[in-house]
Amino acid sequence: MTKIDLLIRNAKELLTLSSSFKDASGLGIIPNGAIAVREGRIFWIGRTDQLPGDFVLCPEGREIDAKGKVVMPGLIDSHTHLIFAGSRENEFEQRVQGLSYLEIAGRGGGILSTVEATRKASFAELFSLGKKRLNRLLSTGVTTIEAKSGYGLSLEDELKILRVMKALQKDHPVDIVPTFLGAHAIPKEFKDERSKYINLLVQEMIPEAAREGLAEFCDVFCEEKAFSIEESREILETGKRHGLKPKIHADQLSPGGGAELAAELGAYSADHLEYVSQKGMERMAEKGVTAVLLPGASFFLSMGIYPPAREMIERGVSVSLSTDLNPGSSMTESLPLMMTMGCLFYRMTPQEVVQATTIHAAKSMGRGEEIGSLDTGKKADVLVLDIPNYKYFPYHFGVDHVKTVIKEGKIVHKGPKLYTDSVP
Amino acid sequence: MTKIDLLIRNAKELLTLSSSFKDASGLGIIPNGAIAVREGRIFWIGRTDQLPGDFVLCPEGREIDAKGKVVMPGLIDSHTHLIFAGSRENEFEQRVQGLSYLEIAGRGGGILSTVEATRKASFAELFSLGKKRLNRLLSTGVTTIEAKSGYGLSLEDELKILRVMKALQKDHPVDIVPTFLGAHAIPKEFKDERSKYINLLVQEMIPEAAREGLAEFCDVFCEEKAFSIEESREILETGKRHGLKPKIHADQLSPGGGAELAAELGAYSADHLEYVSQKGMERMAEKGVTAVLLPGASFFLSMGIYPPAREMIERGVSVSLSTDLNPGSSMTESLPLMMTMGCLFYRMTPQEVVQATTIHAAKSMGRGEEIGSLDTGKKADVLVLDIPNYKYFPYHFGVDHVKTVIKEGKIVHKGPKLYTDSVP
C-alpha cells in the first residue's frame, strides 16, 4: 500500500515536457494521463489505466478528474519586474498619441518616475502590491517566476525590494527566483557621474545583496541609453565573483553586442534580443544561453520589430517567453497571452510556446532539475486547463482557461466562476 | 420616500458617457459618483454627496460601495459571430507556420469547415456553446452584444442559428441583437452556381428570417473573395424591404467600395475597413455610418495593415471596437483586450476606446436610446472596475479588472477570486 496525497486522473492530454516520454509532438504527451503526488513531489506519472493498484489516497488527500482536459506543468515566467510602486497610464496615453518611449524618458518619465514612486513606498506597500501581482500571475497558471529589483537604484532601496521578494517567497505559493538589477538605469542623483554609480554597484550594492543572500542572479540593462558593454561586463563579472549568476537585457532597442557578451560570460539568459546579430545568435547557441523573448513589450511599445525567434530556434537556441511584467513597457501578468503573441508575432508554433513557458523557462533560471517538466521527483507544480488539446491554449486568447492550479501538490487556485442561472 | 432597488455609491470616477455631464475628458465623469436604480432602469445619477435624502433601499435591495473604483456603462460588443460549432486551432498553427487565410480557405478550411461543423450540431449543442461564450463575455464586462448568423448558409441552418440566439436571449442576462448574415460565404453546394445562392438568400432566407422576427439587421461579407458590391447591394436592399437594417463587412482584405455602399444604403455600420478609401470615409461621416473596427482580427491574422482609425475620428466618423468573436479570425471574448489593441494598433486614446465600446457601439446597433451611457431612464447596465481611473483600463492589459457586472439593475457577475492564505 502506497499513500498518495494528490491524484490526477483521466487527463485527455498530459503534457509531460519530459525526455522520458518522447513523442511526435515534442511535448511528451501521455493520453489518458495520470499523476500521483507525494509530499509535494511527483511520485508517479503515466497512463490512468496503468496506475499501480496499491496507491491509496490519504484521508486528507485530493483527487482531480481531468476528463476532457489538458494537464501540464505550472507555467514559469522567466522575466518579471515584480516589485514597483505607481503606474504609468498617463505615459501609455502619451505613447499612443505619438511620443516614443525614449522621448518620454527624456522628459523625466519612464523608469525614473517608477524609481521615485518605489523609493517612497514602504516595505508594507510594496509587499501588498507584489502579493496582488502574484495572485494574478497564479490565476493565469504561473507557479514560479523570476523577479528583478531595479526600481530602487540605491543600496537601501534595492535591498528593500529584494527583502520584499524574500518575504513574499515565504508568504505566497508562487516561487520567486530573485535577480539583482541595480544596473537598470542611472539614478538621477548620479546623472552626470555615471562612473560613481557603477562604483556603488560594484563596491557596495552587489556585495551586500549577495552577502545577505537576497539575490541568485545579477542582471544589467545593456543598451546604448543605459549601460555600455564595458560597464555591463564589469557589473556581471562582479556579480559572478560574489556568486550571482549572470543574466542580461540585450539588444532590445539597438544592436549592441549584448548577446555576444552573454555568451562570453556564460549568462543563463539574454533577454529581449530584437536587434540580436547573427554572431550573437551563433554564440548563444554554442554556449547554451537561453533567449528570453518578451512579446508583451513588442506589443506595448508598438516596436514594429521582433526578435528573430525562428532563426534562433533553427540554430538550436533554447527560447523562453515571458511577460516582462513592468509598469512602463509591459503592464500585464498574463503569460498565456504572451504564448498567443509568441505564435503571432514571432511565428513560434503552439508546441514551441508551451516549451518556452515551461522547460525552457526553467532552464533560463537554473531550475531545470526542479520544475518545468512532469518527471518523477520534480515539484508537483501542475496546471489543469479546460481546453481540448494543447494547440487550443494559444489559439483561444484573452480569456481564462485555468481550471485548477497545483503548487507542490496543493490546490492553490481554481478557475473563474462564470454566470449561472442562480443569483450570485 | 422613494424606493430604490440598487444603489452604487462613492465611485472614484463615474463615467456617464452622457451629454448631460460634459467635461474635459469627453466621458462625462462624475467624481465621487452615485447611481440609484429602480425597476432595472437608472432612476438617479449624480454625486454621492447630493443623493436625495428620501431614497430608501428596498428590503431585497443591494448597495455597492465603489470607493476607489471606476464605474461605467456595461460594455457593448458590436460585432460577434456568437454561434458556431468546432474550433480551428489546427488552422491557427498552419497560419503561424506561414499559410495565408485565403490559402487555408482554398484548401477547404476556413469558414466552410466551421459551416460543416455548425450544420452538424444540434440546437442543444449550439445553445450550450453559445451560453459558455456569453458567460465569458459577461465576465469581461459585456452586457449587450450584436450576434451574426452565417455558419449555416442554408435556410434551415441559418434559422437554427437565429433560433438559438433567440433562446439564449431569453435564458441569459446578456442582451443579443441578432443579425442575419447568410451572405457570409458561398456554401460548397453552390460553389459553381453563386447566383442560385443569391436567389436563395433574397427569395427565401431573408424573407423567412424577417417573417419569424429572428433578425433585426442584415449583413453581408462584401469582399473580392466573397460577395461583390452588386450582390451586396441586392442582398442589403432586400433586407431593408423586409425591415432588416443594413450592416456590412467592408474593405477588410482589399479595397472594394464597401464603405461607399454602406453610406449609400444608410447602413448602421461598416465593419473592418482596413482598406477603406478616402471617399468611403467621407461618405461614412456624411451619412453617420459607424465604423466598427476589429483589432482582434488584425492581431490574429497578423495583417500588418490597420484601418485608418485616427483619420476616421478626425473626419467625424463614430468609431466602435469589437471582438469579432469567431473561430477563424479572432477567437476571443475579451473586449477589454480589444480596447488595449485599439490604443496600440489604431492609436486611439483611452477616452476613445471607452466611447468605442459603449456609446458608439450602442449607436452602431440602433440601441443609442437604451444603453451605452448612464442617463436617467436608460437600462441599468453597469460595470464596477477595480482600477483607479479610466486610463488604467486599457493600460493594464490581459488581466481581469471586473469587480461587479450589473444587468438591468441585477448583479449578474462578480470578479475573480484570487489566492488568499486560506486553502480553497
Side-chain angles (χ1 to χ4, degrees):
Chain A
M1 201 179 85
T2 307
K3 282 198 177 170
I4 296 300
D5 300 321
L6 177 77
L7 190 59
I8 303 172
R9 291 168 174 274
N10 304 326
K12 189 176 172 210
E13 287 187 359
L14 172 55
L15 317 182
T16 66
L17 278 296
S18 164
S19 51
S20 317
F21 299 96
K22 282 208 170 74
D23 71 346
S25 74
L27 299 176
I29 299 180
I30 302 177
N32 189 25
I35 303 175
V37 176
R38 227 178 122 161
E39 290 168 6
R41 301 264 163 181
I42 296 173
F43 183 74
W44 184 94
I45 182 160
R47 290 182 61 105
T48 302
D49 51 22
Q50 290 169 0
L51 263 170
D54 69 333
F55 283 5
V56 176
L57 210 60
C58 284
E60 67 284 16
R62 303 282 285 260
E63 187 164 347
I64 294 173
D65 184 358
K67 196 178 171 194
K69 299 191 175 59
V70 170
V71 172
M72 65 176 290
L75 300 178
I76 301 170
D77 195 343
S78 53
H79 183 135
T80 81
H81 301 257
L82 181 74
I83 305 299
F84 58 86
S87 57
R88 282 155 54 189
E89 60 275 23
N90 287 325
E91 279 181 37
F92 173 76
E93 186 181 42
Q94 286 166 19
R95 273 199 296 112
V96 164
Q97 291 173 325
L99 272 72
S100 77
Y101 189 63
L102 290 178
E103 280 170 333
I104 288 167
R107 290 186 183 194
I111 289 177
L112 294 183
S113 66
T114 298
V115 171
E116 203 178 327
T118 306
R119 286 177 173 180
K120 279 185 191 151
S122 68
F123 182 96
E125 283 162 351
L126 292 177
F127 182 89
S128 161
L129 288 164
K131 187 164 178 170
K132 197 164 177 182
R133 291 176 197 133
L134 288 177
N135 288 341
R136 281 211 198 87
L137 284 157
L138 186 66
S139 77
T140 74
V142 172
T143 48
T144 301
I145 66 167
E146 188 261 10
K148 302 170 195 299
S149 68
Y151 292 113
L153 308 188
S154 70
L155 176 63
E156 180 193 355
D157 291 302
E158 286 293 303
L159 294 179
K160 175 176 71 174
I161 291 169
L162 291 169
R163 288 180 190 132
V164 168
M165 289 183 196
K166 192 172 182 174
L168 285 167
Q169 165 69 24
K170 282 188 193 155
D171 179 75
H172 201 278
V174 171
D175 270 325
I176 301 173
V177 176
T179 295
F180 174 75
L181 179 60
H184 196 197
I186 302 282
K188 65 175 191 305
E189 62 273 21
F190 288 96
K191 201 174 122 214
D192 301 315
E193 305 178 290
R194 55 185 301 126
S195 65
K196 280 202 182 169
Y197 186 62
I198 310 287
N199 287 343
L200 181 65
L201 281 167
V202 165
Q203 290 165 12
E204 294 188 44
M205 292 163 76
I206 290 173
E208 189 56 25
R211 198 188 62 76
E212 289 194 35
L214 290 171
E216 186 172 332
F217 286 89
C218 183
D219 194 351
V220 57
F221 187 18
C222 178
E223 189 65 52
E224 207 182 310
K225 302 273 173 183
F227 295 88
S228 71
I229 286 285
E230 293 69 32
E231 290 166 345
S232 299
R233 184 185 287 109
E234 185 184 356
I235 291 159
L236 294 179
E237 282 184 340
T238 304
K240 280 174 79 168
R241 278 198 306 276
H242 288 87
L244 304 184
K245 296 169 241 173
K247 276 183 169 282
I248 182 165
H249 281 64
D251 308 318
Q252 179 189 8
L253 305 173
S254 57
E260 290 87 333
L261 181 64
E264 176 195 323
L265 296 174
Y268 277 65
S269 70
D271 303 32
H272 285 293
L273 298 170
E274 273 79 353
Y275 290 90
V276 67
S277 69
Q278 293 291 324
K279 181 92 186 164
M281 287 189 269
E282 201 179 291
R283 301 278 289 124
M284 284 175 65
E286 277 167 27
K287 296 288 182 176
V289 180
T290 300
V292 173
L293 307 184
L294 305 157
S298 302
F299 172 69
F300 208 61
L301 297 178
S302 308
M303 289 185 68
I305 176 169
Y306 298 129
R310 285 249 59 81
E311 211 176 327
M312 289 194 256
I313 290 168
E314 277 147 30
R315 283 171 182 272
V317 175
S318 166
V319 172
S320 176
L321 288 172
S322 309
T323 59
D324 195 14
L325 167 59
N326 81 80
S329 61
S330 188
M331 188 61 181
T332 187
E333 288 97 347
S334 177
L335 199 48
L337 184 57
M338 300 305 109
M339 296 169 81
T340 302
M341 290 183 179
C343 291
L344 295 171
F345 295 166
Y346 303 161
R347 300 282 144 198
M348 293 170 71
T349 63
Q351 173 222 338
E352 288 162 353
V353 301
V354 169
Q355 295 170 326
T357 50
T358 55
I359 190 75
H360 292 180
K363 185 185 162 211
S364 79
M365 46 215 259
R367 289 291 196 276
E369 301 299 309
E370 281 286 280
I371 53 173
S373 68
L374 300 176
D375 278 300
T376 310
K378 280 196 171 184
K379 283 190 181 181
D381 294 357
V382 185
L383 195 49
V384 183
L385 296 169
D386 193 8
I387 54 176
N389 59 71
Y390 78 87
K391 291 180 191 177
Y392 195 95
F393 197 20
Y395 161 73
H396 190 164
F397 69 102
V399 298
D400 189 353
H401 296 297
V402 170
K403 185 78 185 169
T404 312
V405 186
I406 294 147
K407 176 68 187 165
E408 295 181 43
K410 292 202 167 63
I411 296 171
V412 287
H413 181 78
K414 287 184 178 179
K417 192 175 181 322
L418 295 176
Y419 176 79
T420 59
D421 295 323
S422 61
V423 178
Chain B
M1 203 180 81
T2 307
K3 283 199 176 170
I4 296 299
D5 300 319
L6 176 78
L7 190 59
I8 304 172
R9 290 168 175 272
N10 303 325
K12 188 175 171 210
E13 287 187 357
L14 172 55
L15 318 183
T16 66
L17 278 297
S18 163
S19 51
S20 316
F21 300 95
K22 280 210 170 69
D23 69 348
S25 74
L27 299 176
I29 298 179
I30 303 177
N32 188 23
I35 303 175
V37 175
R38 228 177 122 159
E39 290 168 7
R41 301 263 164 184
I42 296 172
F43 184 74
W44 185 93
I45 182 162
R47 291 181 59 104
T48 302
D49 52 21
Q50 291 170 1
L51 264 169
D54 68 335
F55 283 4
V56 176
L57 209 61
C58 284
E60 68 285 15
R62 302 284 283 262
E63 187 165 346
I64 293 173
D65 184 357
K67 195 176 170 195
K69 299 190 174 60
V70 169
V71 172
M72 65 178 289
L75 299 178
I76 301 168
D77 195 342
S78 53
H79 182 133
T80 81
H81 302 258
L82 182 73
I83 305 299
F84 58 87
S87 57
R88 283 157 52 189
E89 60 274 23
N90 287 326
E91 278 180 40
F92 173 74
E93 186 182 42
Q94 286 166 17
R95 274 199 295 110
V96 163
Q97 292 174 324
L99 273 74
S100 79
Y101 189 64
L102 290 178
E103 280 170 334
I104 288 167
R107 290 187 185 194
I111 289 177
L112 293 184
S113 65
T114 298
V115 170
E116 203 179 326
T118 306
R119 285 177 174 181
K120 279 184 191 152
S122 69
F123 183 95
E125 282 162 351
L126 293 176
F127 182 89
S128 162
L129 287 165
K131 186 163 178 173
K132 197 164 178 184
R133 292 175 196 134
L134 288 176
N135 287 342
R136 283 212 197 85
L137 283 157
L138 186 66
S139 76
T140 75
V142 171
T143 48
T144 301
I145 66 167
E146 188 260 10
K148 303 174 195 298
S149 68
Y151 292 113
L153 308 189
S154 71
L155 177 62
E156 179 192 357
D157 292 302
E158 286 292 305
L159 293 179
K160 176 176 69 174
I161 291 168
L162 292 169
R163 287 178 191 134
V164 168
M165 290 183 195
K166 192 171 181 175
L168 285 167
Q169 166 69 23
K170 281 189 192 155
D171 176 77
H172 202 277
V174 170
D175 271 327
I176 301 172
V177 176
T179 294
F180 173 76
L181 178 60
H184 194 195
I186 302 283
K188 65 176 190 304
E189 63 273 21
F190 288 96
K191 202 176 122 217
D192 302 313
E193 305 178 292
R194 55 185 302 127
S195 65
K196 279 201 181 167
Y197 186 62
I198 310 286
N199 285 343
L200 180 66
L201 281 167
V202 165
Q203 289 166 14
E204 295 188 43
M205 292 163 76
I206 291 173
E208 189 56 25
R211 198 188 61 78
E212 289 193 35
L214 291 172
E216 185 171 332
F217 286 90
C218 183
D219 195 349
V220 57
F221 188 18
C222 179
E223 189 67 50
E224 207 181 311
K225 303 272 172 184
F227 295 87
S228 71
I229 287 285
E230 294 67 34
E231 290 166 345
S232 298
R233 184 185 286 110
E234 186 184 355
I235 290 160
L236 293 178
E237 282 184 340
T238 304
K240 281 173 79 168
R241 278 198 306 276
H242 288 87
L244 305 184
K245 297 170 243 175
K247 276 184 169 283
I248 183 165
H249 281 65
D251 307 318
Q252 179 189 8
L253 305 173
S254 57
E260 290 87 332
L261 181 64
E264 177 195 322
L265 296 175
Y268 277 65
S269 70
D271 302 31
H272 285 291
L273 298 170
E274 272 80 353
Y275 290 89
V276 66
S277 70
Q278 294 291 323
K279 181 93 187 165
M281 288 189 269
E282 199 180 292
R283 300 278 288 123
M284 284 175 66
E286 278 168 28
K287 296 290 181 171
V289 180
T290 299
V292 173
L293 307 184
L294 306 158
S298 302
F299 172 68
F300 208 61
L301 298 178
S302 308
M303 291 185 67
I305 177 170
Y306 299 130
R310 284 250 59 81
E311 209 174 330
M312 289 193 254
I313 291 168
E314 277 145 30
R315 282 172 183 273
V317 175
S318 167
V319 172
S320 176
L321 287 173
S322 310
T323 60
D324 195 13
L325 168 57
N326 81 80
S329 61
S330 188
M331 187 62 183
T332 188
E333 289 97 348
S334 177
L335 199 48
L337 184 58
M338 300 303 109
M339 296 169 81
T340 302
M341 290 183 179
C343 291
L344 294 172
F345 296 165
Y346 303 162
R347 301 283 141 196
M348 293 171 71
T349 63
Q351 172 220 337
E352 287 161 355
V353 300
V354 168
Q355 293 169 328
T357 49
T358 55
I359 191 74
H360 292 179
K363 186 184 161 210
S364 78
M365 46 215 258
R367 290 291 195 279
E369 301 299 309
E370 280 288 277
I371 52 173
S373 68
L374 301 176
D375 278 300
T376 310
K378 278 196 173 183
K379 282 190 181 181
D381 295 355
V382 186
L383 195 50
V384 183
L385 296 169
D386 192 9
I387 53 175
N389 60 71
Y390 77 87
K391 290 180 191 175
Y392 195 95
F393 196 21
Y395 161 73
H396 190 164
F397 68 102
V399 298
D400 188 353
H401 296 297
V402 170
K403 184 80 184 165
T404 312
V405 185
I406 294 148
K407 178 66 189 169
E408 294 181 47
K410 293 205 167 62
I411 296 172
V412 287
H413 180 78
K414 287 183 177 178
K417 191 173 181 322
L418 295 175
Y419 176 79
T420 60
D421 292 327
S422 61
V423 178

